[in-house]
Structures are given as structure tokens and as C-alpha cells.
């Protein structure tokens, strides 16, 4: 049994934040933001760019490209962020309604910026285990940029956070773009390093928290996290990529394109070099920043539009997310 990608969809807000804007807010020289952090500009949400809505717009694009009738969708899986229009809200059911997927059932999944890889693995497993599921829509949005305080140096590695939506349509038995195998690993030693420290049950939100700008992402142990992450992060990227390929009976020499999340330029270049890949075999998202779990969908769609992926190519998607999670999935394109 095969599961293939029928189409992808992307929504990018029109409002942008530039490297000079970030420099002015953070007091970091613009050259460092452009050269070291790798941010030239990034989309940020406009007035109507709500998290789930951006996923809906991306899903509409994907369905139109695939010429798929919403009534034929069996499952709608929301793989966007928890920060959305309302708290304590099942976003996938709203997406189902707005898209007209009246014959589907819907649920939400979340693994921070690793959600797309996990959702693809889960969708494939659902199709393999349930004969009634033939078409699955994965869609979601991301705007965790709302939680960034550019005056907080502890979170400077997240100054690239941006906004947007993405979607993927999958079908069982589709004759191309086959999902192969995924590999995911998590490390709980980072589980409470990056959090919004107020607003949960441990510390309910107060007027003082809002007034003092505490309702933002923060790093509780910046020195310890940096030391632990430097020991593990890049090696774990390579580990999940190689494991995904090995499970797919391939190796790194077979990769034609690597769809990576946005990270600092030196790390991006290191991953490519370690795998023996050239610069043109990936796209550095310097004009988009980090749109969370949407990065892999964006990189894949841009590569297709730019002719970087050809029939028969091996494409690997790789992600990482705070918590910490690393994941990769391999696709045989065409």
C-alpha cells in the first residue's frame, strides 16, 4: 500500500518585518541579523491573519491545485499551533466546517515545530490501518511570533519566528510522491527550558503579568540549555535524517533535496555539508524566517515551483522543535 502527496498549499501574510526592524527593536546590528541569524525579512500577521484561518486559506489552495472535492476528504488533521483564535478549542472541526468537508472527521495534533513530520507519519499509519480512510487533509497555521520580546536576549534564537499557513493533501494508492519512512526522537531534558511562564495552571495570568510583558516566550535556563543543545542538536538532525533514509532502504547519497526549517545560516550549511549536499539542494528561508512546522511544506512547495525537484528524486523533510523534538520523513517524488 502506498500513500502519496497529491498537493500542497501555502499562505504567507503580506505584512513583513525586515532585518532593520528587528535591529531597531533588539539593538543588535543589522549585519548580524542578516548574516549570522539569516533573517532578511519575515512575514508577520496582519489584522485578519489568524492561526486557523491561515491554515484554511492554505488548505483551499491545496484542494484547488489537486482538483479535489472537499466532500471526498475522510479526515481533517489540524497540525498548526496551540496559539490560535480561541484557547481550549478544537481547530480541526472549524476547518472541516469552513472547507465543506462534511463527510470527514477531524482532530488536532501538536508537537511544536515537529508537527508536520509527526502528522505525515500519523496520517500514513491511519491509512494503513483503516480501509475506510482514503484522503487526508493536513493543514494549520502558525503565528508564535506574537510571543517574541525583541528586548529579551534570552530568546534571540527565536527572533526568526514568523507567521503563515500550510497544507498537504494525501491519498491512499496515489501513483506518485510516495511517503516512505519517518524517524522522530524527543529529549525531555529540554521540556521546560522554553515556555510562556505565565497563563497556565502553575501561574495563572494576572494584570501585572500583562503590564510587565511576562506573557511572552522565555528561556528559564539559558546557559544550561545552550550547553545541552550544542552537544545534541546538530547530531540529532543528522541522526533522524539518516534513520529515515535507512528505514526507507536508502542512504544520504540518495538525497536530491532536503527541506529544512529555518535556522542560523552556519547550522544550515553544516547539515548540508555533513550530508554531502550542495547549496542548491535546499532552500534557505532567509526571506521567510521560521514559520514553525510550516517550514517543510514551504520549502517543498518552493522547490517544486523553482524546478529543484524532478521526477524520481528522493526528498527528505527535517524538523526540530522546542521540547525538544527532532524528526525527518523521506519521500520518493514523482
Amino acid at each position: 500500500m502506498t500513500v502519496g502527496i497529491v498537493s500542497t498549499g501555502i499562505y504567507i501574510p503580506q505584512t513583513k518585518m525586515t532585518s532593520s526592524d528587528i535591529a531597531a527593536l533588539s539593538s543588535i546590528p543589522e549585519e548580524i541579523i542578516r548574516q549570522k541569524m539569516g533573517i532578511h525579512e519575515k512575514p508577520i500577521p496582519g489584522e485578519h491573519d489568524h492561526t486557523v484561518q491561515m491554515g484554511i486559506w492554505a488548505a483551499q489552495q491545496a484542494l484547488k491545485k489537486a482538483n479535489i472535492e472537499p466532500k471526498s476528504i475522510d479526515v481533517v488533521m489540524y497540525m498548526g499551533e496551540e496559539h490560535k483564535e480561541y484557547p481550549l478549542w478544537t481547530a480541526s472541526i472549524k476547518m472541516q466546517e469552513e472547507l465543506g468537508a462534511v463527510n470527514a472527521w477531524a482532530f488536532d495534533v501538536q508537537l511544536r515545530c515537529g508537527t508536520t513530520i509527526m502528522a505525515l507519519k500519523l496520517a500514513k499509519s491511519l491509512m494503513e490501518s483503516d480501509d475506510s480512510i482514503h484522503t487526508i487533509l493536513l493543514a494549520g497555521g502558525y503565528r508564535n511570533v506574537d510571543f517574541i520580546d525583541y528586548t529579551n536576549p534570552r530568546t534571540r534564537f527565536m527572533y526568526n519566528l514568523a507567521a503563515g499557513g500550510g497544507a498537504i493533501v494525501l491519498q491512499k494508492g496515489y501513483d506518485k510522491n510516495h511517503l516512505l519512512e519517518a524517524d522522530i526522537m524527543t529529549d525531555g531534558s529540554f521540556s521546560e527550558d522554553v515556555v510562556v511562564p505565565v497563563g497556565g495552571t502553575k501561574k495563572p495570568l494576572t494584570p501585572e503579568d500583562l503590564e510587565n510583558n511576562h506573557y511572552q516566550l522565555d528561556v528559564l535556563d539559558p546557559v544550561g540549555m545552550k550547553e545541552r543543545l550544542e552537544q545534541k542538536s546538530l547530531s540529532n538532525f543528522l541522526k533522524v535524517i539518516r534513520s529515515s533514509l535507512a528505514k526507507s532502504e536508502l542512504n544520504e547519497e540518495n538525497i536530491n533535496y532536503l527541506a529544512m526549517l529555518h535556522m542560523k545560516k552556519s547550522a544550515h550549511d553544516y547539515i548540508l555539508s555533513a550530508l554531502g549536499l550542495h547549496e542548491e539542494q535546499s532552500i534557505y528561508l532567509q526571506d521567510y524566517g521560521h514559520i514553525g512546522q510550516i517550514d517543510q511544506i514551504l520549502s517543498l512547495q518552493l522547490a517544486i515551483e523553482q524546478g529543484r525537484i524532478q521526477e524520481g528524486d528522493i526528498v527528505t523533510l527535517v524538523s526540530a522543535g522546542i521540547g525538544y523534538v527532532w524528526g525527518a520523513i523521506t519521500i520518493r517524488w514523482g
Side-chain angles (χ1 to χ4, degrees):
M1 192 212 78
T2 58
V3 174
I5 295 176
V6 183
S7 66
T8 61
I10 287 290
Y11 172 80
I12 300 295
Q14 294 299 306
T15 310
K16 308 293 187 204
M17 176 179 279
T18 66
S19 55
S20 63
D21 295 329
I22 298 172
L25 291 168
S26 65
S27 299
I28 296 172
E30 185 178 359
E31 182 180 357
I32 291 177
I33 291 166
R34 293 178 68 86
Q35 301 298 327
K36 186 174 181 179
M37 296 183 177
I39 311 166
H40 291 189
E41 66 175 24
K42 64 179 186 177
I44 59 174
E47 180 183 359
H48 303 293
D49 295 324
H50 300 293
T51 310
V52 179
Q53 184 60 58
M54 290 190 289
I56 290 169
W57 288 328
Q60 289 170 337
Q61 181 190 109
L63 292 170
K64 183 177 180 180
K65 282 165 60 177
N67 195 27
I68 286 180
E69 169 61 44
K71 291 180 180 179
S72 69
I73 299 171
D74 299 303
V75 176
V76 175
M77 193 185 304
Y78 174 78
M79 33 65 74
E81 263 297 338
E82 291 179 305
H83 172 54
K84 49 189 184 289
E85 283 84 332
Y86 312 103
L88 306 177
W89 185 52
T90 306
S92 58
I93 298 176
K94 173 64 174 177
M95 297 185 75
Q96 174 193 1
E97 171 67 14
E98 290 297 316
L99 294 169
V102 295
N103 296 315
W105 58 278
F107 67 102
D108 297 3
V109 295
Q110 182 49 245
L111 194 59
R112 295 278 75 78
C113 300
T115 309
T116 292
I117 306 299
M118 180 265 284
L120 287 167
K121 178 177 175 62
L122 179 57
K124 183 183 178 189
S125 297
L126 278 174
M127 288 180 170
E128 290 172 341
S129 64
D130 190 330
D131 291 339
S132 69
I133 298 176
H134 298 277
T135 302
I136 295 181
L137 170 68
L138 313 179
Y142 184 95
R143 54 175 288 173
N144 284 5
V145 60
D146 295 342
F147 291 97
I148 295 302
D149 176 1
Y150 296 94
T151 67
N152 181 357
R154 294 187 297 276
T155 61
R156 62 185 295 175
F157 72 98
M158 293 186 283
Y159 288 177
N160 62 345
L161 295 195
I168 300 176
V169 178
L170 300 170
Q171 282 190 337
K172 183 188 295 183
Y174 193 60
D175 62 358
K176 55 186 177 180
N177 311 333
H178 293 155
L179 297 184
L180 300 180
E181 299 303 320
D183 189 65
I184 298 171
M185 60 184 299
T186 56
D187 186 337
S189 68
F190 299 94
S191 64
E192 291 185 304
D193 281 331
V194 184
V195 297
V196 177
V198 301
T201 59
K202 276 192 170 183
K203 193 178 187 306
L205 189 63
T206 66
E208 290 75 23
D209 290 326
L210 289 173
E211 184 179 346
N212 294 309
N213 207 32
H214 292 162
Y215 194 64
Q216 301 285 339
L217 279 163
D218 205 353
V219 181
L220 304 186
D221 178 19
V223 175
M225 178 182 171
K226 186 175 187 294
E227 290 176 351
R228 284 178 278 116
L229 199 56
E230 285 179 346
Q231 294 172 2
K232 298 181 179 182
S233 189
L234 292 177
S235 63
N236 285 349
F237 269 110
L238 295 171
K239 183 176 181 179
V240 294
I241 291 168
R242 288 167 173 153
S243 183
S244 168
L245 289 163
K247 290 179 181 180
S248 305
E249 300 183 347
L250 299 164
N251 59 54
E252 57 206 77
E253 295 178 358
N254 300 119
I255 300 176
N256 301 105
Y257 184 81
L258 185 65
M260 278 195 278
L261 73 163
H262 182 274
M263 61 182 88
K264 65 181 181 180
K265 189 64 165 62
S266 59
H268 177 96
D269 292 344
Y270 173 84
I271 296 294
L272 292 181
S273 176
L275 295 169
L277 300 176
H278 303 295
E279 186 176 342
E280 64 272 13
Q281 290 178 281
S282 189
I283 294 175
Y284 189 62
L285 301 174
Q286 63 190 20
D287 295 321
Y288 297 92
H290 179 37
I291 315 177
Q293 53 267 57
I294 309 303
D295 282 7
Q296 292 78 34
I297 308 173
L298 173 61
S299 182
L300 178 63
Q301 182 162 308
L302 288 173
I304 294 167
E305 293 170 354
Q306 295 175 18
R308 299 196 190 202
I309 297 176
Q310 307 297 327
E311 292 284 318
D313 278 355
I314 297 299
V315 178
T316 298
L317 281 54
V318 63
S319 67
I322 56 176
Y324 234 84
V325 55
W326 296 264
I329 191 167
T330 298
I331 304 162
R332 187 181 300 279
W333 200 258

